[in-house]
């Protein structure tokens, strides 16, 4: 049996998402919002967040190389799937599952900037500070944790546990 300890219940997550959606709906009321989900981990967060917005939004996805089957970033981050919408002049909101070392976000934001959007901000479900390797601050954070490996609500370990409805700490 995997050693899972609950961090956020489904009810707590629902509450965090609706608060975040209200904030984003206010901040982007007069903007041309494009949500850019980071595959694969952000697919559930983006789906829930997008459905709670009260403003129009375009949806796109991007994917960078991941951990493989390990629990730490290799630091060798490559683009696997690019955005497909025309994002020039638009207000991009990157939607990410978790920021850890910050290396992925640093690379991803620099990549999106080459398309000359009007603005780029980052919304992450979880901000995990302990292993930061580069200075990176997300604009919107649902929940902060210091350390540990988390799974569920889109987050995986070796492609498992993404479909769990709550967020857990996995004892590796
Ligand atoms: P970073 O480049 O180290 O910030 O890595 C970010 C990516 O690593 C996230 O988008 C996740 O896919 C993955 N990741 C980092 N920490 C965890 C975790 O605790 N659980 C699951 N995936 C994680
Ligand atoms: Mg990710």
């Amino acid at each position: 049996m995997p050693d899972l300890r609950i961090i956020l219940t489904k009810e707590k997550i629902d509450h965090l998402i609706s608060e975040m959606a209200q904030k984003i709906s206010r901040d982007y009321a007069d903007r041309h919002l494009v949500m850019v989900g980071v595959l694969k981990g952000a697919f559930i967060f983006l789906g829930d967040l997008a459905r709670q917005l009260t403003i129009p939004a375009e949806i796109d996805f991007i994917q960078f190389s991941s951990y493989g089957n390990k629990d730490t970033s290799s630091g060798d981050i490559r683009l696997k799937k690019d955005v497909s919408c025309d994002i020039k002049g638009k207000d991009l909101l990157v939607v990410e599952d978790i920021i850890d070392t910050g290396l992925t976000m640093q690379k991803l934001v620099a990549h999106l900037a080459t398309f000359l959007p009007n603005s780029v901000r980052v919304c992450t479900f979880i901000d995990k500070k302990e292993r930061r390797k580069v200075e990176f601050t997300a604009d919107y954070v649902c929940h902060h944790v210091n350390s540990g490996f988390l799974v569920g609500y889109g987050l995986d370990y070796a492609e498992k546990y993404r479909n769990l409805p709550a967020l857990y700490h996995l004892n590796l």
Side-chain angles (χ1 to χ4, degrees), residues 78-138:
R78 292 177 201 195
L79 183 68
K80 274 175 109 177
K81 183 226 164 286
D82 211 344
V83 287
S84 53
C85 293
D86 177 12
I87 57 173
K88 188 174 177 185
K90 296 184 183 167
D91 296 296
L92 310 184
L93 183 65
V94 177
V95 180
E96 173 65 307
D97 56 354
I98 183 167
I99 301 177
D100 185 14
T101 63
L103 291 166
T104 306
M105 272 306 111
Q106 189 185 50
K107 195 132 189 180
L108 193 150
V109 167
H111 172 73
L112 290 176
T114 65
F115 292 94
L116 307 178
N118 183 53
S119 66
V120 184
R121 287 188 192 160
V122 173
C123 173
T124 187
F125 180 54
I126 305 290
D127 189 355
K128 184 164 74 178
K129 287 264 164 65
E130 194 193 35
R131 297 199 297 191
R132 254 332 181 276
K133 287 190 179 149
V134 291
E135 199 161 312
F136 187 87
T137 308

